[in-house]
Amino acid sequence: MPKETAIPAPAAAQPLIVEADFFHQNLPSGVELAVDRLPERNTVALAFRMLSGAADDPMELGGLAAIVERTLSKGTKRHDGRGLADAFDAIGAAWSTTTGRQSTVMRVLCLPEFVPQALELSAEMLTQPTFPDDACRVAVELAQQELKNLEDSPDSLVRVLSQKLTYGDLFGRYVGGEAETLARITPDKVRDHWKRMFTAGRLQISIAGAVDAEAVAALVDRLFNGLGRREPAGRQPADFEFRPARSHRHKDLEQEYIAITLPGASRSDPDFAVEQVALGVLSGGMSGRLFTEVREKLGLVYWVGAWHEQPRGRGIINLGASTTPERSHKTYQTLMRELRRLSEDLTEAEVARARDQHIAHKETEDDLTRARAGNLSDDLFHFSRPIQPQVELDAIRAVDAARVEAYVRKLPRDRVCVATLGKREL
Amino acid sequence: MPKETAIPAPAAAQPLIVEADFFHQNLPSGVELAVDRLPERNTVALAFRMLSGAADDPMELGGLAAIVERTLSKGTKRHDGRGLADAFDAIGAAWSTTTGRQSTVMRVLCLPEFVPQALELSAEMLTQPTFPDDACRVAVELAQQELKNLEDSPDSLVRVLSQKLTYGDLFGRYVGGEAETLARITPDKVRDHWKRMFTAGRLQISIAGAVDAEAVAALVDRLFNGLGRREPAGRQPADFEFRPARSHRHKDLEQEYIAITLPGASRSDPDFAVEQVALGVLSGGMSGRLFTEVREKLGLVYWVGAWHEQPRGRGIINLGASTTPERSHKTYQTLMRELRRLSEDLTEAEVARARDQHIAHKETEDDLTRARAGNLSDDLFHFSRPIQPQVELDAIRAVDAARVEAYVRKLPRDRVCVATLGKREL
């Protein structure tokens, strides 16, 4: 507790987060478009989210969605791979793509005056890829190498093991595939998968920045018109059954890596904000309990954290740590104790700090145009509409210690998944 | 090359980067203060750089500077560790600290109205730490665990090996220390080291945001007055001799990790901008030669990159890759070939792309208040004064293919350091 309280608390009014000026339409082409109009910003951030990801890979072709994503840029009907990269470079646009379980996302950042060109190039990449044979072969080879890199990266590997355990054999597959499934991926399979999965009805485009939303909508509608089926698709809830389980993978490592998961709140659950605050108390910044109590007071773990993730319509809470093999059992017990303790001895001061921290983080993040586009894209993914930033903040402000305690008491803390990696089983 | 060129090149004038409104003073207390006045920004970023780092650790106490940095926040004359964290949280200020070879940096991000409190709390942490015995003991224990984590992280470990080889036994020591040197660190050694190294004459403070520079200067001068010696110190050039060498560390890994270094340009070298463009051609974004030629065409490496780092007054160029053990020799040869090829078949188009990319990156980064504070802090570190962003951009714009080729021809490409980690020696 502070010994002095001369420092004033933040003002109750939060002038920084003003009401957002959203545009949101389902266009005739089938594309869902949302714009967060930010006339004063110097950069524009665009997120193209195709509602198809690794969970849609055929069982025998795990890794296919990621190969599609990585070869999209290797050639189109108008440009070869180098030409496409050069064209983005010529307008100073930075771009990247990623594959998730339920979506494949392309992000672009550019200056406002180049938005039309950035849209045209992105559309070219998403709607007219040619998937050259050589590029597909190289992408598969690199994916095989990535699996070897994963074996050398225990921080990442334990998460992959944990996600398999948590989400099951289908939904929980590693996005990057497996050696055997990658070996089956041919250029034709890549083209077929793109054709089946990249449709206007699965495409959500989110843009933040100084743009004319109506003009952008007209251009988007023209550029993506005719991309496969226009009927909305890919919007069903995540399909997996959570079953408590344990797994240990032996590996001759210096540290032991522990990952615990249990079901939590979905993004649309009224308790989602409560879970956010609870995790803030556990793991928010320097003052989180896991950091102050477990790491800094006990020196028990090298790394420790708690976070959550939300497949569509679902939620999973994660606790993780890395420690010495000798301390792994004690670390596991301590993590579970700290989770339970949230329902026992929580103070209003801790809850207030977690709330304030979350709000401050949101306000600082709000400074980043790309974060605005990312949040908007997440809104479409989870809620099928933009959500005012103020709504999330109001939900956070309404959380008190009693609600957190009640929420944590309800959590199925005796039915968790535990994945460990290292020299010693738990 | 693009098959179509309908897309206009960026305008020659760069309206986004305007002349910065800098404040820069050596205050009576001995502190060097610089402010980048950004009246329209919603956040303020502060960087406190103490010109003392791991290179100043006594030889038998490697890791001491990092232990000082990690225990600064564990208690002051006014607050215990928890109270200090709470006080930062109460004003929604995010902060972090890091230890480098030549400096220890504390970064703070807060809202403009809380700058006085953020300065007071930061000053309290830097000028009145008590280094409680328990906190020192835990920090040493965590540093020991970090060494074990490093052993499990080959990406990081190969860099540590490369830096030892490049910078030598004193300057190139791992910032986190070694098991034997950490074991010798006692609370008294921590306090002594802080007392010797944390002085007003070594402190550079850089602030970016909507602040009143004169008022901040008065407050800073009062808060840091009397912190040890006020005479300027810690501003000498980096002290190491580069000697070509090879080292291999055997470890049973799936991949082979390769790190190559050679001397490059210092920040004040007129050729620094030339080196930036050269590295952009090699490794800038998606269109860099290492990415397109080595990774994407050949599928030779999982990861590949080129970058540079600048100790004060010096420069080191880095090339790195991870690949399969079987391909490690070919990968090494390919990296060296690609470096040489920069002096042989460079096109003006490639150079223009690297220039444009660098400028676009700079403009996008400029959107981030914390990047402005970081750049300002780097300016003080390297040049002892703020540098207009335009100066760096003008230097980049003046680079052409002939200058890059001439620069790369001069590089001592036959006198490099090579560190490898994995199953097989090169």
Side-chain angles (χ1 to χ4, degrees), chain B residues 316-390:
Chain B
I316 292 290
I317 295 171
N318 288 260
L319 300 169
S322 72
T323 185
T324 59
E326 298 71 33
R327 290 171 177 168
S328 58
H329 188 68
K330 184 170 177 198
T331 299
Y332 168 74
Q333 289 180 315
T334 305
L335 288 174
M336 294 309 294
R337 185 197 73 202
E338 288 299 329
L339 183 60
R340 190 190 67 231
R341 214 158 64 77
L342 284 180
S343 67
E344 294 170 353
D345 61 359
L346 198 61
T347 67
E348 288 296 349
E350 279 180 299
V351 171
R353 185 174 54 226
R355 278 197 315 252
D356 290 349
Q357 233 173 20
H358 188 89
I359 292 166
H361 173 78
K362 183 88 186 166
E363 284 169 345
T364 317
E365 179 198 72
D366 184 68
D367 219 24
L368 303 178
T369 308
R370 68 191 92 181
R372 294 288 292 238
N375 290 341
L376 187 55
S377 183
D378 286 348
D379 289 346
L380 296 191
F381 180 77
H382 289 287
F383 302 102
S384 303
R385 63 192 164 84
I387 305 289
Q388 286 292 340
Q390 205 54 59

Side-chain angles (χ1 to χ4, degrees), chain A residues 7 10 74 82 86 89-90 117 138 141-142 145 149 152 254-255 257 287 296 301-302 327 353 368, chain B residues 8 10 74 82 86 89-91 138 141-142 145 149 152 254-255 257 287 296 301-302 327 353 368:
Chain A
I7 292 159
K74 299 305 175 225
R82 186 60 190 250
D86 285 346
D89 286 347
Q117 288 95 323
V138 167
E141 166 59 31
L142 290 173
Q145 288 205 38
N149 187 269
D152 286 348
E254 294 293 322
Q255 290 211 304
Y257 299 79
S287 50
E296 297 291 299
V301 294
Y302 168 65
R327 290 171 177 167
R353 185 174 53 227
L368 304 178
Chain B
K74 300 305 176 225
R82 186 61 191 249
D86 285 346
D89 286 348
I91 57 168
V138 167
E141 166 60 31
L142 290 174
Q145 288 205 38
N149 186 269
D152 286 348
E254 294 293 324
Q255 290 211 305
Y257 299 79
S287 49
E296 297 291 300
V301 295
Y302 168 64
R327 290 171 177 168
R353 185 174 54 226
L368 303 178

Side-chain angles (χ1 to χ4, degrees), chain B residues 28-330:
Chain B
S29 58
V31 174
E32 184 176 354
L33 173 70
V35 178
D36 186 355
R37 296 182 184 98
L38 299 165
E40 77 290 0
R41 303 285 175 111
N42 289 331
T43 52
V44 176
L46 306 95
F48 302 82
R49 188 192 285 252
M50 196 61 77
L51 294 171
S52 164
D56 300 306
D57 286 343
M59 200 63 200
E60 73 283 8
L61 294 172
L64 183 53
I67 298 291
V68 168
E69 171 238 311
R70 282 163 206 188
T71 44
L72 276 173
S73 61
K74 300 305 176 225
T76 67
K77 292 185 180 158
R78 297 173 63 208
H79 287 100
D80 61 11
R82 186 61 191 249
L84 196 63
D86 285 346
F88 275 106
D89 286 348
I91 57 168
W95 60 276
S96 63
T97 56
T98 47
T99 308
R101 289 207 158 69
Q102 300 180 285
S103 53
T104 303
V105 181
M106 174 173 184
R107 290 181 184 80
V108 182
L109 194 67
C110 68
L111 300 179
E113 58 267 41
F114 294 117
V115 166
Q117 289 95 322
L119 279 170
E120 279 173 32
L121 285 169
S122 305
E124 185 185 327
M125 202 160 127
L126 295 168
T127 68
Q128 305 173 30
T130 50
F131 302 107
D133 288 1
D134 273 3
C136 294
R137 188 189 52 73
V138 167
V140 169
E141 166 60 31
L142 290 174
Q144 296 279 15
Q145 288 205 38
E146 192 195 343
L147 293 179
K148 295 193 185 295
N149 186 269
L150 181 65
E151 282 296 319
D152 286 348
S153 311
D155 293 320
S156 308
L157 185 55
V158 74
R159 290 195 197 190
V160 169
L161 300 173
S162 168
Q163 294 185 332
K164 270 190 191 151
L165 205 60
T166 305
Y167 295 120
D169 288 341
L170 182 73
F171 196 79
R173 285 174 297 169
Y174 177 52
V175 170
E178 295 174 22
E180 307 75 49
T181 62
L182 289 172
R184 295 188 197 107
I185 295 177
T186 62
D188 280 341
K189 303 255 190 257
V190 174
R191 291 178 200 118
D192 288 352
H193 194 74
W194 167 79
K195 193 156 193 181
R196 205 164 57 247
M197 292 300 173
F198 277 53
T199 67
R202 286 181 184 266
L203 181 57
Q204 296 179 323
I205 303 181
S206 305
I207 302 176
V211 298
D212 174 341
E214 281 75 16
V216 163
L219 180 56
V220 161
D221 201 42
R222 179 170 68 72
L223 290 170
F224 290 93
N225 191 35
L227 176 62
R229 298 165 57 87
R230 63 187 67 215
E231 291 72 29
R235 285 153 168 96
Q236 66 280 21
D239 185 17
F240 67 92
E241 190 182 343
F242 181 90
R243 288 198 194 88
R246 288 199 177 198
S247 79
H248 175 74
R249 165 90 181 273
H250 180 84
K251 210 172 163 79
D252 193 21
L253 298 167
E254 294 293 324
Q255 290 211 305
E256 187 83 14
Y257 299 79
I258 304 172
I260 304 170
T261 52
L262 67 163
S266 74
R267 277 292 299 270
S268 55
D269 189 320
D271 277 338
F272 181 71
V274 182
E275 189 177 294
Q276 284 181 298
V277 172
L279 291 173
V281 172
L282 263 190
S283 191
M286 300 294 189
S287 49
R289 283 182 172 193
L290 292 181
F291 194 78
T292 56
E293 300 295 311
V294 182
R295 186 181 195 270
E296 297 291 300
K297 260 196 207 152
L298 302 176
L300 187 62
V301 295
Y302 168 64
W303 177 83
V304 65
W307 67 99
H308 54 179
E309 52 197 19
Q310 291 80 38
R312 196 185 294 100
R314 305 287 293 273
I316 292 290
I317 295 171
N318 288 260
L319 300 169
S322 72
T323 185
T324 59
E326 298 71 33
R327 290 171 177 168
S328 58
H329 188 68
K330 184 170 177 198

Side-chain angles (χ1 to χ4, degrees), chain A residues 231-247:
Chain A
E231 290 73 29
R235 284 152 168 98
Q236 66 280 21
D239 186 17
F240 67 92
E241 189 181 344
F242 181 91
R243 287 197 194 89
R246 288 199 178 198
S247 78

